[in-house]
Amino acid sequence: ASGDVSFDAFGFVVVTGSFGLTKGQVSGDDGTVFLTDADALTLTLSNVNLFVGVGASIDTGILPIDVADDAIDVSNAIGFNVASANLSLALITDGTTSYTGIELTVASASLTGIPDLTFEVSTLLVQVNQTSGVSKIDWAGFTVTAGTLPAFTMDENVDLKASGDVSLDAFGVLVVTGGFSLTTGQVSGSDGTTTLVDAQAVLVTLSNLELFVGVGASIDNNATTNIVTDDSIDTSDSAVGLRSSLSSL
């Protein structure tokens, strides 16, 4: 099953996008996990735009009866707006063992409609890899010989991964830009003294972090709206406060 969807619940929740749903069998392997005619359910959501708040509406575009060109109008809305999100989900059952893969990408997400308060996220990536058995699937290295699976990019070492870039301007008093990454999973290796085999690990990294606390600062988006990767803090307009930067942590 597949199609395009346009949904408006009283201006509170508004969604546009496309979906695909497939149920069948899949065979293949990643060198460790071998599947033969395993039951598989896959769901894909593509080009999804989502608004949660008040005051949004559907712009039906040139062809009102064709929802493929529908868009969300947030010109008079207050809430949280997500643009160009894509989701892939795979649920596989092989005997008594289940495997779950989820991958979400979001081009941009932002708070809209509140004067002098800006919160934006771009290049958001979320990955989930779980199993009820011993070995998780290396989705990126899995070779499908029969059936279909989404084109995941995660390997067997990932339990959960989230990364992206963030830009926050709270009335010029608190201004933050930077990137983040959170990964939970397994790690193996040795330094000659300590040897780890599939040890549970949590890794958090912050990159290109800039912080301002005071009055009068703002976000400079460097003429790339909805892309916060290159955002910086502008303190040239008589800002007074404390500014700090950190290349990585």
Side-chain angles (χ1 to χ4, degrees), residues 157-218:
N157 294 313
V158 172
D159 287 339
L160 168 67
K161 180 177 181 179
S163 63
D165 298 294
V166 177
S167 182
L168 168 68
D169 181 354
F171 312 104
V173 176
L174 174 63
V175 186
V176 182
T177 65
F180 73 93
S181 176
L182 168 68
T183 304
T184 67
Q186 290 74 45
V187 63
S188 299
S190 174
D191 63 1
T193 302
T194 301
T195 300
L196 302 177
V197 179
D198 291 335
Q200 201 68 27
V202 178
L203 175 65
V204 178
T205 60
L206 302 176
S207 58
N208 301 317
L209 186 66
E210 291 193 12
L211 169 67
F212 175 86
V213 179
V215 292
S218 61

Side-chain angles (χ1 to χ4, degrees), residues 47-248:
N47 299 317
V48 173
N49 299 303
L50 167 69
F51 175 86
V52 178
V54 293
S57 61
I58 295 289
D59 180 350
T60 57
I62 298 175
L63 299 173
I65 62 173
D66 183 4
V67 302
D69 66 346
D70 284 6
I72 300 177
D73 182 0
V74 296
S75 57
N76 297 306
I78 299 175
F80 198 69
N81 190 41
V82 175
S84 299
N86 297 281
L87 172 71
S88 296
L89 166 68
L91 303 174
I92 298 176
T93 301
D94 185 32
T96 59
T97 304
S98 62
Y99 303 92
T100 301
I102 302 173
E103 188 160 299
L104 169 69
T105 62
V106 176
S108 65
S110 61
L111 186 65
T112 186
I114 302 178
D116 300 321
L117 177 59
T118 301
F119 177 70
E120 294 182 287
V121 179
S122 71
T123 60
L124 177 66
L125 169 67
V126 178
Q127 297 174 325
V128 177
N129 190 3
Q130 298 291 324
T131 182
S132 64
V134 176
S135 299
K136 299 193 299 294
I137 292 178
D138 176 3
W139 297 94
F142 192 88
T143 300
V144 176
T145 57
T148 60
L149 287 176
F152 293 118
T153 61
M154 57 194 162
D155 63 22
E156 74 280 10
N157 294 313
V158 172
D159 287 339
L160 168 67
K161 180 177 181 179
S163 63
D165 298 294
V166 177
S167 182
L168 168 68
D169 181 354
F171 312 104
V173 176
L174 174 63
V175 186
V176 182
T177 65
F180 73 93
S181 176
L182 168 68
T183 304
T184 67
Q186 290 74 45
V187 63
S188 299
S190 174
D191 63 1
T193 302
T194 301
T195 300
L196 302 177
V197 179
D198 291 335
Q200 201 68 27
V202 178
L203 175 65
V204 178
T205 60
L206 302 176
S207 58
N208 301 317
L209 186 66
E210 291 193 12
L211 169 67
F212 175 86
V213 179
V215 292
S218 61
I219 295 290
D220 181 357
N221 64 18
N222 290 300
T224 54
T225 304
N226 296 329
I227 300 176
V228 305
T229 307
D230 61 350
D231 282 7
S232 60
I233 298 176
D234 183 2
T235 57
S236 61
D237 190 18
S238 302
V240 178
L242 176 65
R243 180 172 181 171
S244 179
S245 62
L246 181 66
S247 59
S248 65

